Amino acid sequence: MAEQGEEVILLDFWASMFGMRVRIALAEKGIRYEYREQDLRNKSQLLLDSNPVHKKIPVLIHNGKPICESSIIVEYIDEVWNNKAPLFPSDCYAKARARFWADFVDKKFYLSGRKLYTTKGEEHEAARSEFIECLKLLEGELGDKPYFGGESLGFLDISFIPFYAWFQAYETYGNFNFEHECPKLFAWAKRCIRDNESVSKTLPEMPKVFDFVQHMRKRFGLDD
């Protein structure tokens, strides 16, 4: 946990899968911190000052110093609070591979998933195919292992599991069944939640996220 006198603040938004991964990492390390929910349509001055380049959450502020971008924050947490089990594998190749797939999640998977509930027509159909392909690629990387890194929750698991909270929206607007398409990956998600309190206590309920997505779609003019 954070040492006495240390100040740890997290600027975040409850539904953000990127913020969730930081919260899971903090929980895994047993770090006490102050959570400050952000209104993304009326961003706080602290958020704008802390992340002037992207103006996005999450931002971790450690003793007055801001760290931005969720994957970088998780790596920072792992390096600074190294009294608990590491989140990254010790093997350099395995570490590079975990980083590669986390980057794949952030770019390819996230964007195709977003298009499932923000587009229509041909663009939507293309996004659906791409999204399912991404799932199958990730399932291939998981293989028969309990977790992506082996026997315990690690960096890539923490990077990907927050997206599970959005799967009611993905399945509804993508018109597919996660368990049917990728049974091993589905079992992995259930295992992450069942066996890791840091995950189960962080992820919001799917219906709550789905309701949030429905409101977004109305704002985008996609639903009446």
Side-chain angles (χ1 to χ4, degrees):
M1 69 179 58
E3 293 180 8
Q4 193 168 7
E6 278 194 308
E7 181 186 54
V8 183
I9 299 168
L10 179 62
L11 309 182
D12 199 2
F13 175 65
W14 72 269
S16 168
M17 57 281 281
F18 302 107
M20 287 179 219
R21 62 173 56 151
V22 174
R23 282 175 261 154
I24 293 169
L26 289 166
E28 277 291 304
K29 295 287 187 171
I31 301 163
R32 285 199 293 262
Y33 63 97
E34 180 186 343
Y35 179 88
R36 295 190 188 177
E37 179 78 3
Q38 301 296 299
D39 179 352
L40 301 186
R41 289 193 284 177
N42 183 24
K43 295 175 181 178
S44 70
Q45 193 58 48
L46 180 59
L47 174 58
L48 298 175
D49 291 343
S50 300
N51 190 357
V53 176
H54 297 301
K55 303 176 177 62
K56 292 180 178 178
I57 52 89
V59 176
L60 187 76
I61 305 174
H62 182 208
N63 293 334
K65 297 176 180 177
I67 305 97
C68 307
E69 296 296 300
S70 61
S71 287
I72 294 170
I73 297 171
V74 172
E75 189 161 1
Y76 178 87
I77 289 167
D78 196 39
E79 290 176 350
V80 171
W81 290 283
N82 55 12
N83 56 319
K84 294 283 184 78
L87 303 176
F88 279 92
S90 57
D91 176 76
C92 291
Y93 177 71
K95 188 173 184 178
R97 195 173 182 93
R99 282 186 175 135
F100 169 84
W101 283 104
D103 186 65
F104 172 83
V105 168
D106 286 359
K107 294 174 181 173
K108 192 99 171 173
F109 181 83
Y110 167 70
L111 289 175
S112 61
R114 182 176 175 81
K115 287 177 183 176
L116 288 181
Y117 56 85
T118 59
T119 63
K120 291 183 176 182
E122 289 183 7
E123 189 178 4
H124 180 269
E125 280 304 306
R128 181 183 181 277
S129 297
E130 184 174 79
F131 186 83
I132 293 172
E133 181 188 2
C134 288
L135 283 177
K136 291 186 182 296
L137 286 169
L138 285 159
E139 186 172 62
E141 175 62 15
L142 176 66
D144 294 319
K145 304 185 298 292
Y147 297 96
F148 281 99
E151 297 299 318
S152 60
L153 193 78
F155 173 69
L156 182 50
D157 305 289
I158 290 170
S159 296
F160 186 37
I161 191 58
F163 288 83
Y164 185 68
W166 287 68
F167 259 83
Q168 184 178 348
Y170 292 147
E171 288 181 310
T172 300
Y173 296 113
N175 191 27
F176 74 97
N177 181 278
F178 180 28
E179 185 175 11
H180 174 73
E181 294 287 350
C182 297
K184 288 182 181 178
L185 203 58
F186 181 82
W188 160 84
K190 292 296 186 182
R191 185 180 305 114
C192 285
I193 294 166
R194 183 190 67 226
D195 297 344
N196 299 277
E197 198 173 83
S198 60
V199 176
S200 61
K201 289 194 170 182
T202 296
L203 264 58
E205 295 294 326
M206 281 189 189
K208 186 180 179 185
V209 177
F210 183 63
D211 184 61
F212 170 71
V213 172
Q214 286 182 307
H215 280 92
M216 269 203 299
R217 282 175 60 87
K218 286 178 182 176
R219 283 212 316 272
F220 296 154
L222 292 165
D223 288 336
D224 295 330

